[in-house]
Amino acid sequence: MIQSGPLFPTLLKALGDPTRLRVLGLLELEELSVGDLARCLGMAQSRVSNHLRVLREAGLLIERHEGTSTYLRSALQGERGADAYAVRVWSGLREGLATLPEAQADRVRLADLCARRRAESSLFFDRLAGAWDEIGAHFSSGQARERAAACLLPPGLVLADLGCGTGYFGRSLLGLAGHLILVDQSQGMLDRAAERLSSARGGTRLDLRRGELDRLPILDDELDGAVAGLVLHHLESPGEALAEMRRTVRPGGCAVVVELAPHRETWCREALGDRHLGLEPRDVTAAFRRAGFEEIRLEELEDRYRPRPPGGGEPADLALYTVRGRVPYLRPSVPRSHPST
Ligand SMILES: C[S@@+](CC[C@H](N)C(=O)[O-])C[C@H]1O[C@@H](n2cnc3c(N)ncnc32)[C@H](O)[C@@H]1O
């Protein structure tokens, strides 16, 4: 439908000038300031401002204000709210504009301007690189990056923290899991974990289950992934816990343990309830293989566990590693145990 009424002459006037068409041509490629436009058009800013006033009156500009600067773009890009008749007229005029030598020169100057901006920006950050570790560290909690990292994972993952204790590991799973199952034999530990995690749980559903690692209160294939952090060395038979992790993690999912390398801090038996003074990484890797995991990876960590002996004294300095494995997609048919519910 052809536009009528008082806006029609305003539109005709706005689109009836080659310089204003050149302005619109530039503003549909990039958002620009008046100064940028003047540079691309090779004109004084005052002349450009006069043309912008006419385009503004016809409703052909979108403006964004940032501090004292104003940035402009064309309102004729088929966005919601753009005048449909004006958009149609513009699309016809745009073809003709592309053949104007002045408009072609505008595009070359715009490309130069953008290339210079990119080069200036990368030089600016080159200069800042040495200081960025300090500047980029000022966050109140650091949660922003963790949350962003969590967005890379499929939503709604079902994860388990096995032998969760007071929920140290569980806390770092909160952003990642849609449903977090916390298992521990000790009700006291589960209560503390509930206290620690409830306030910070965000969108994660918490599910506390009392039970044993060699008979997990979890269904076959219920989990997308499971972690047992600093737990296997408490168990008589770590292999049975790994078999249970294999049963409860779905095909394609991963299980990971964090463990202590062998050490000589004998006080850990009585003070921390350790049955083994650390575990040999190769034994844990072999136990993953026997349990039926594949893609098994051992990683030594820089982090150290530094518990203090009772009654004071120097803290221990214990080496840590992780072993992770993936449950194969095609499972051999093995008889399965059933969880206690
Ligand atoms: C050293 S804490 C580690 C807790 C937590 N994963 C962490 O890293 O802070 C060991 C936890 O494993 C639990 N645990 C030990 N043996 C277990 C078993 N057989 N079944 C279930 N939980 C067990 C203990 O109750 C304790 O909470």
mmCIF file of all heavy atoms in Angstrom, residues 161-170 183-186 189-190 196 211-214 216 227-231 233-236 272-275 305, ligand 1:
data_model
loop_
_atom_site.group_PDB
_atom_site.id
_atom_site.type_symbol
_atom_site.label_atom_id
_atom_site.label_comp_id
_atom_site.label_asym_id
_atom_site.label_seq_id
_atom_site.Cartn_x
_atom_site.Cartn_y
_atom_site.Cartn_z
ATOM 1 N N ASP A 161 27.850 -36.848 43.205
ATOM 2 C CA ASP A 161 29.056 -36.673 44.016
ATOM 3 C C ASP A 161 29.021 -37.807 45.038
ATOM 4 O O ASP A 161 28.178 -37.818 45.938
ATOM 5 C CB ASP A 161 29.008 -35.297 44.695
ATOM 6 C CG ASP A 161 30.217 -35.049 45.580
ATOM 7 O OD1 ASP A 161 31.141 -35.887 45.598
ATOM 8 O OD2 ASP A 161 30.225 -33.999 46.260
ATOM 9 N N LEU A 162 29.919 -38.779 44.850
ATOM 10 C CA LEU A 162 29.861 -40.010 45.652
ATOM 11 C C LEU A 162 30.853 -39.924 46.810
ATOM 12 O O LEU A 162 32.038 -39.659 46.589
ATOM 13 C CB LEU A 162 30.173 -41.213 44.764
ATOM 14 C CG LEU A 162 29.301 -41.297 43.496
ATOM 15 C CD1 LEU A 162 29.766 -42.422 42.582
ATOM 16 C CD2 LEU A 162 27.823 -41.479 43.877
ATOM 17 N N GLY A 163 30.365 -40.176 48.016
ATOM 18 C CA GLY A 163 31.196 -39.922 49.193
ATOM 19 C C GLY A 163 31.364 -38.427 49.315
ATOM 20 O O GLY A 163 32.461 -37.887 49.401
ATOM 21 N N CYS A 164 30.217 -37.734 49.284
ATOM 22 C CA CYS A 164 30.214 -36.269 49.112
ATOM 23 C C CYS A 164 30.759 -35.525 50.312
ATOM 24 O O CYS A 164 31.142 -34.358 50.197
ATOM 25 C CB CYS A 164 28.798 -35.784 48.814
ATOM 26 S SG CYS A 164 27.638 -36.101 50.177
ATOM 27 N N GLY A 165 30.817 -36.190 51.500
ATOM 28 C CA GLY A 165 31.242 -35.459 52.692
ATOM 29 C C GLY A 165 30.382 -34.221 52.867
ATOM 30 O O GLY A 165 29.157 -34.258 52.706
ATOM 31 N N THR A 166 31.025 -33.097 53.134
ATOM 32 C CA THR A 166 30.269 -31.862 53.376
ATOM 33 C C THR A 166 29.984 -31.093 52.092
ATOM 34 O O THR A 166 29.550 -29.948 52.131
ATOM 35 C CB THR A 166 31.011 -30.963 54.372
ATOM 36 O OG1 THR A 166 32.324 -30.736 53.848
ATOM 37 C CG2 THR A 166 31.118 -31.615 55.740
ATOM 38 N N GLY A 167 30.298 -31.706 50.965
ATOM 39 C CA GLY A 167 29.852 -31.121 49.686
ATOM 40 C C GLY A 167 30.850 -30.218 48.980
ATOM 41 O O GLY A 167 30.461 -29.402 48.154
ATOM 42 N N TYR A 168 32.146 -30.404 49.289
ATOM 43 C CA TYR A 168 33.148 -29.574 48.596
ATOM 44 C C TYR A 168 33.088 -29.751 47.083
ATOM 45 O O TYR A 168 33.081 -28.787 46.340
ATOM 46 C CB TYR A 168 34.559 -29.933 49.054
ATOM 47 C CG TYR A 168 35.010 -29.168 50.258
ATOM 48 C CD1 TYR A 168 35.287 -29.828 51.449
ATOM 49 C CD2 TYR A 168 35.157 -27.786 50.199
ATOM 50 C CE1 TYR A 168 35.703 -29.131 52.562
ATOM 51 C CE2 TYR A 168 35.568 -27.077 51.316
ATOM 52 C CZ TYR A 168 35.836 -27.763 52.499
ATOM 53 O OH TYR A 168 36.238 -27.074 53.594
ATOM 54 N N PHE A 169 33.064 -31.031 46.643
ATOM 55 C CA PHE A 169 33.027 -31.251 45.202
ATOM 56 C C PHE A 169 31.670 -30.895 44.635
ATOM 57 O O PHE A 169 31.553 -30.316 43.570
ATOM 58 C CB PHE A 169 33.339 -32.720 44.861
ATOM 59 C CG PHE A 169 34.797 -32.973 44.767
ATOM 60 C CD1 PHE A 169 35.488 -33.456 45.852
ATOM 61 C CD2 PHE A 169 35.476 -32.703 43.599
ATOM 62 C CE1 PHE A 169 36.844 -33.668 45.787
ATOM 63 C CE2 PHE A 169 36.831 -32.904 43.521
ATOM 64 C CZ PHE A 169 37.526 -33.394 44.621
ATOM 65 N N GLY A 170 30.646 -31.266 45.389
ATOM 66 C CA GLY A 170 29.276 -30.989 44.951
ATOM 67 C C GLY A 170 29.105 -29.519 44.612
ATOM 68 O O GLY A 170 28.445 -29.164 43.649
ATOM 69 N N VAL A 183 25.754 -38.674 47.551
ATOM 70 C CA VAL A 183 25.673 -39.932 48.295
ATOM 71 C C VAL A 183 26.767 -39.949 49.359
ATOM 72 O O VAL A 183 27.926 -39.617 49.071
ATOM 73 C CB VAL A 183 25.872 -41.146 47.352
ATOM 74 C CG1 VAL A 183 25.841 -42.451 48.145
ATOM 75 C CG2 VAL A 183 24.805 -41.166 46.262
ATOM 76 N N ASP A 184 26.392 -40.335 50.548
ATOM 77 C CA ASP A 184 27.389 -40.559 51.604
ATOM 78 C C ASP A 184 26.806 -41.570 52.582
ATOM 79 O O ASP A 184 25.593 -41.659 52.747
ATOM 80 C CB ASP A 184 27.747 -39.244 52.314
ATOM 81 C CG ASP A 184 29.143 -39.295 52.919
ATOM 82 O OD1 ASP A 184 29.305 -39.966 53.967
ATOM 83 O OD2 ASP A 184 30.073 -38.703 52.339
ATOM 84 N N GLN A 185 27.721 -42.309 53.246
ATOM 85 C CA GLN A 185 27.256 -43.254 54.271
ATOM 86 C C GLN A 185 26.851 -42.530 55.545
ATOM 87 O O GLN A 185 26.126 -43.060 56.358
ATOM 88 C CB GLN A 185 28.382 -44.232 54.587
ATOM 89 C CG GLN A 185 29.591 -43.516 55.184
ATOM 90 C CD GLN A 185 30.764 -44.418 55.510
ATOM 91 O OE1 GLN A 185 30.716 -45.611 55.246
ATOM 92 N NE2 GLN A 185 31.805 -43.858 56.090
ATOM 93 N N SER A 186 27.361 -41.309 55.710
ATOM 94 C CA SER A 186 27.190 -40.603 56.989
ATOM 95 C C SER A 186 26.083 -39.555 56.890
ATOM 96 O O SER A 186 26.166 -38.635 56.070
ATOM 97 C CB SER A 186 28.525 -39.951 57.362
ATOM 98 O OG SER A 186 28.314 -38.784 58.124
ATOM 99 N N MET A 189 27.389 -36.041 57.557
ATOM 100 C CA MET A 189 28.006 -35.389 56.399
ATOM 101 C C MET A 189 26.920 -34.888 55.439
ATOM 102 O O MET A 189 27.015 -33.773 54.911
ATOM 103 C CB MET A 189 28.917 -36.383 55.658
ATOM 104 C CG MET A 189 30.177 -36.727 56.411
ATOM 105 S SD MET A 189 31.350 -35.351 56.362
ATOM 106 C CE MET A 189 32.834 -36.135 56.977
ATOM 107 N N LEU A 190 25.906 -35.721 55.202
ATOM 108 C CA LEU A 190 24.841 -35.305 54.270
ATOM 109 C C LEU A 190 24.144 -34.044 54.778
ATOM 110 O O LEU A 190 23.826 -33.146 53.986
ATOM 111 C CB LEU A 190 23.818 -36.434 54.091
ATOM 112 C CG LEU A 190 24.260 -37.619 53.223
ATOM 113 C CD1 LEU A 190 23.223 -38.740 53.292
ATOM 114 C CD2 LEU A 190 24.481 -37.198 51.772
ATOM 115 N N ARG A 196 25.441 -26.587 53.225
ATOM 116 C CA ARG A 196 26.393 -25.833 52.390
ATOM 117 C C ARG A 196 25.802 -25.526 51.013
ATOM 118 O O ARG A 196 25.983 -24.439 50.485
ATOM 119 C CB ARG A 196 27.668 -26.647 52.214
ATOM 120 C CG ARG A 196 28.460 -26.193 51.013
ATOM 121 C CD ARG A 196 29.846 -26.776 50.923
ATOM 122 N NE ARG A 196 30.764 -26.096 51.779
ATOM 123 C CZ ARG A 196 31.658 -26.690 52.548
ATOM 124 N NH1 ARG A 196 31.740 -27.996 52.548
ATOM 125 N NH2 ARG A 196 32.458 -25.987 53.294
ATOM 126 N N GLY A 211 23.920 -43.859 51.622
ATOM 127 C CA GLY A 211 24.206 -45.194 51.099
ATOM 128 C C GLY A 211 25.690 -45.448 50.989
ATOM 129 O O GLY A 211 26.508 -44.575 51.278
ATOM 130 N N GLU A 212 26.011 -46.664 50.524
ATOM 131 C CA GLU A 212 27.397 -47.128 50.443
ATOM 132 C C GLU A 212 27.879 -47.101 49.003
ATOM 133 O O GLU A 212 27.105 -47.356 48.074
ATOM 134 C CB GLU A 212 27.477 -48.584 50.937
ATOM 135 C CG GLU A 212 27.058 -48.782 52.374
ATOM 136 C CD GLU A 212 28.113 -48.260 53.352
ATOM 137 O OE1 GLU A 212 29.308 -48.239 52.998
ATOM 138 O OE2 GLU A 212 27.718 -47.855 54.468
ATOM 139 N N LEU A 213 29.159 -46.843 48.841
ATOM 140 C CA LEU A 213 29.700 -46.760 47.484
ATOM 141 C C LEU A 213 29.753 -48.107 46.774
ATOM 142 O O LEU A 213 29.765 -48.166 45.551
ATOM 143 C CB LEU A 213 31.100 -46.118 47.496
ATOM 144 C CG LEU A 213 31.035 -44.635 47.163
ATOM 145 C CD1 LEU A 213 30.546 -43.823 48.323
ATOM 146 C CD2 LEU A 213 32.373 -44.131 46.682
ATOM 147 N N ASP A 214 29.784 -49.216 47.547
ATOM 148 C CA ASP A 214 29.808 -50.522 46.867
ATOM 149 C C ASP A 214 28.394 -51.058 46.649
ATOM 150 O O ASP A 214 28.201 -52.186 46.205
ATOM 151 C CB ASP A 214 30.665 -51.529 47.648
ATOM 152 C CG ASP A 214 30.153 -51.738 49.063
ATOM 153 O OD1 ASP A 214 29.110 -51.131 49.436
ATOM 154 O OD2 ASP A 214 30.782 -52.496 49.805
ATOM 155 N N LEU A 216 25.452 -48.616 45.503
ATOM 156 C CA LEU A 216 24.941 -47.241 45.379
ATOM 157 C C LEU A 216 23.418 -47.198 45.308
ATOM 158 O O LEU A 216 22.810 -48.001 44.586
ATOM 159 C CB LEU A 216 25.503 -46.590 44.108
ATOM 160 C CG LEU A 216 26.966 -46.160 44.153
ATOM 161 C CD1 LEU A 216 27.417 -45.693 42.767
ATOM 162 C CD2 LEU A 216 27.182 -45.050 45.172
ATOM 163 N N VAL A 227 31.433 -38.313 40.209
ATOM 164 C CA VAL A 227 32.765 -38.054 40.755
ATOM 165 C C VAL A 227 32.842 -38.663 42.150
ATOM 166 O O VAL A 227 31.859 -38.643 42.905
ATOM 167 C CB VAL A 227 33.068 -36.531 40.798
ATOM 168 C CG1 VAL A 227 32.093 -35.767 41.673
ATOM 169 C CG2 VAL A 227 34.490 -36.270 41.263
ATOM 170 N N ALA A 228 33.998 -39.264 42.442
ATOM 171 C CA ALA A 228 34.279 -39.696 43.809
ATOM 172 C C ALA A 228 35.580 -39.015 44.193
ATOM 173 O O ALA A 228 36.644 -39.361 43.684
ATOM 174 C CB ALA A 228 34.409 -41.217 43.873
ATOM 175 N N GLY A 229 35.455 -38.003 45.043
ATOM 176 C CA GLY A 229 36.624 -37.176 45.371
ATOM 177 C C GLY A 229 37.190 -37.545 46.726
ATOM 178 O O GLY A 229 36.501 -37.424 47.744
ATOM 179 N N LEU A 230 38.428 -38.027 46.750
ATOM 180 C CA LEU A 230 39.136 -38.384 47.990
ATOM 181 C C LEU A 230 38.328 -39.389 48.814
ATOM 182 O O LEU A 230 38.170 -39.228 50.032
ATOM 183 C CB LEU A 230 39.426 -37.129 48.817
ATOM 184 C CG LEU A 230 40.300 -36.079 48.130
ATOM 185 C CD1 LEU A 230 40.566 -34.912 49.053
ATOM 186 C CD2 LEU A 230 41.603 -36.675 47.625
ATOM 187 N N VAL A 231 37.806 -40.393 48.145
ATOM 188 C CA VAL A 231 36.964 -41.383 48.827
ATOM 189 C C VAL A 231 37.532 -42.791 48.693
ATOM 190 O O VAL A 231 37.506 -43.562 49.659
ATOM 191 C CB VAL A 231 35.525 -41.384 48.240
ATOM 192 C CG1 VAL A 231 34.638 -42.321 49.028
ATOM 193 C CG2 VAL A 231 34.936 -39.993 48.255
ATOM 194 N N HIS A 233 40.312 -44.155 48.816
ATOM 195 C CA HIS A 233 41.312 -44.631 49.787
ATOM 196 C C HIS A 233 40.692 -44.938 51.154
ATOM 197 O O HIS A 233 41.368 -45.450 52.032
ATOM 198 C CB HIS A 233 42.481 -43.635 49.907
ATOM 199 C CG HIS A 233 42.072 -42.298 50.420
ATOM 200 N ND1 HIS A 233 41.710 -41.260 49.585
ATOM 201 C CD2 HIS A 233 41.946 -41.827 51.696
ATOM 202 C CE1 HIS A 233 41.397 -40.200 50.325
ATOM 203 N NE2 HIS A 233 41.531 -40.524 51.600
ATOM 204 N N HIS A 234 39.397 -44.611 51.305
ATOM 205 C CA HIS A 234 38.691 -44.986 52.547
ATOM 206 C C HIS A 234 38.087 -46.383 52.440
ATOM 207 O O HIS A 234 37.574 -46.903 53.427
ATOM 208 C CB HIS A 234 37.531 -44.015 52.820
ATOM 209 C CG HIS A 234 37.985 -42.652 53.224
ATOM 210 N ND1 HIS A 234 38.496 -42.367 54.461
ATOM 211 C CD2 HIS A 234 38.008 -41.487 52.537
ATOM 212 C CE1 HIS A 234 38.817 -41.088 54.526
ATOM 213 N NE2 HIS A 234 38.529 -40.540 53.369
ATOM 214 N N LEU A 235 38.064 -46.957 51.247
ATOM 215 C CA LEU A 235 37.290 -48.175 51.029
ATOM 216 C C LEU A 235 38.167 -49.414 51.096
ATOM 217 O O LEU A 235 39.314 -49.401 50.650
ATOM 218 C CB LEU A 235 36.601 -48.127 49.660
ATOM 219 C CG LEU A 235 35.775 -46.867 49.367
ATOM 220 C CD1 LEU A 235 35.152 -46.973 47.989
ATOM 221 C CD2 LEU A 235 34.698 -46.657 50.425
ATOM 222 N N GLU A 236 37.560 -50.485 51.623
ATOM 223 C CA GLU A 236 38.248 -51.777 51.649
ATOM 224 C C GLU A 236 38.564 -52.204 50.215
ATOM 225 O O GLU A 236 39.668 -52.611 49.897
ATOM 226 C CB GLU A 236 37.302 -52.800 52.327
ATOM 227 C CG GLU A 236 37.896 -54.164 52.559
ATOM 228 C CD GLU A 236 39.081 -54.093 53.523
ATOM 229 O OE1 GLU A 236 38.947 -53.416 54.560
ATOM 230 O OE2 GLU A 236 40.130 -54.674 53.206
ATOM 231 N N LEU A 272 41.974 -39.418 60.010
ATOM 232 C CA LEU A 272 41.097 -39.129 58.869
ATOM 233 C C LEU A 272 40.345 -40.362 58.364
ATOM 234 O O LEU A 272 39.623 -40.289 57.370
ATOM 235 C CB LEU A 272 41.916 -38.525 57.715
ATOM 236 C CG LEU A 272 42.691 -37.233 58.044
ATOM 237 C CD1 LEU A 272 43.502 -36.764 56.850
ATOM 238 C CD2 LEU A 272 41.735 -36.126 58.474
ATOM 239 N N GLY A 273 40.541 -41.500 59.044
ATOM 240 C CA GLY A 273 39.808 -42.711 58.658
ATOM 241 C C GLY A 273 40.291 -43.321 57.352
ATOM 242 O O GLY A 273 39.537 -44.031 56.670
ATOM 243 N N ASP A 274 41.547 -43.061 56.971
ATOM 244 C CA ASP A 274 42.064 -43.606 55.704
ATOM 245 C C ASP A 274 42.433 -45.086 55.875
ATOM 246 O O ASP A 274 43.170 -45.440 56.795
ATOM 247 C CB ASP A 274 43.311 -42.827 55.253
ATOM 248 C CG ASP A 274 42.986 -41.384 54.878
ATOM 249 O OD1 ASP A 274 41.812 -40.986 55.021
ATOM 250 O OD2 ASP A 274 43.900 -40.672 54.444
ATOM 251 N N ARG A 275 41.907 -45.923 54.979
ATOM 252 C CA ARG A 275 42.297 -47.335 55.010
ATOM 253 C C ARG A 275 43.596 -47.560 54.259
ATOM 254 O O ARG A 275 44.365 -48.463 54.556
ATOM 255 C CB ARG A 275 41.233 -48.187 54.318
ATOM 256 C CG ARG A 275 40.181 -48.697 55.230
ATOM 257 C CD ARG A 275 39.192 -49.473 54.386
ATOM 258 N NE ARG A 275 37.903 -49.436 54.988
ATOM 259 C CZ ARG A 275 37.412 -50.422 55.722
ATOM 260 N NH1 ARG A 275 38.114 -51.501 55.928
ATOM 261 N NH2 ARG A 275 36.212 -50.314 56.239
ATOM 262 N N TYR A 305 47.107 -31.794 48.561
ATOM 263 C CA TYR A 305 46.229 -31.859 49.729
ATOM 264 C C TYR A 305 47.122 -31.659 50.948
ATOM 265 O O TYR A 305 48.126 -32.375 51.107
ATOM 266 C CB TYR A 305 45.519 -33.212 49.756
ATOM 267 C CG TYR A 305 44.514 -33.357 50.874
ATOM 268 C CD1 TYR A 305 43.617 -32.344 51.172
ATOM 269 C CD2 TYR A 305 44.464 -34.528 51.626
ATOM 270 C CE1 TYR A 305 42.690 -32.482 52.189
ATOM 271 C CE2 TYR A 305 43.536 -34.681 52.643
ATOM 272 C CZ TYR A 305 42.660 -33.651 52.921
ATOM 273 O OH TYR A 305 41.749 -33.797 53.930
HETATM 274 C C1 LIG B 1 37.513 -37.534 52.988
HETATM 275 S S1 LIG B 1 35.809 -37.412 52.893
HETATM 276 C C2 LIG B 1 35.723 -36.700 51.299
HETATM 277 C C3 LIG B 1 34.497 -35.902 51.142
HETATM 278 C C4 LIG B 1 34.393 -35.093 49.880
HETATM 279 N N1 LIG B 1 34.313 -35.937 48.703
HETATM 280 C C5 LIG B 1 35.502 -34.079 49.783
HETATM 281 O O1 LIG B 1 36.364 -34.224 48.938
HETATM 282 O O2 LIG B 1 35.513 -33.156 50.595
HETATM 283 C C6 LIG B 1 35.255 -39.051 52.626
HETATM 284 C C7 LIG B 1 33.761 -39.214 52.654
HETATM 285 O O3 LIG B 1 33.472 -40.503 52.126
HETATM 286 C C8 LIG B 1 32.454 -41.057 52.903
HETATM 287 N N2 LIG B 1 32.596 -42.529 52.817
HETATM 288 C C9 LIG B 1 33.631 -43.294 53.251
HETATM 289 N N3 LIG B 1 33.384 -44.576 52.979
HETATM 290 C C10 LIG B 1 32.181 -44.637 52.361
HETATM 291 C C11 LIG B 1 31.399 -45.698 51.862
HETATM 292 N N4 LIG B 1 31.798 -46.971 51.906
HETATM 293 N N5 LIG B 1 30.217 -45.400 51.300
HETATM 294 C C12 LIG B 1 29.777 -44.109 51.239
HETATM 295 N N6 LIG B 1 30.492 -43.070 51.712
HETATM 296 C C13 LIG B 1 31.680 -43.324 52.264
HETATM 297 C C14 LIG B 1 32.697 -40.556 54.313
HETATM 298 O O4 LIG B 1 31.509 -40.594 55.084
HETATM 299 C C15 LIG B 1 33.170 -39.149 54.022
HETATM 300 O O5 LIG B 1 32.101 -38.250 54.041
#
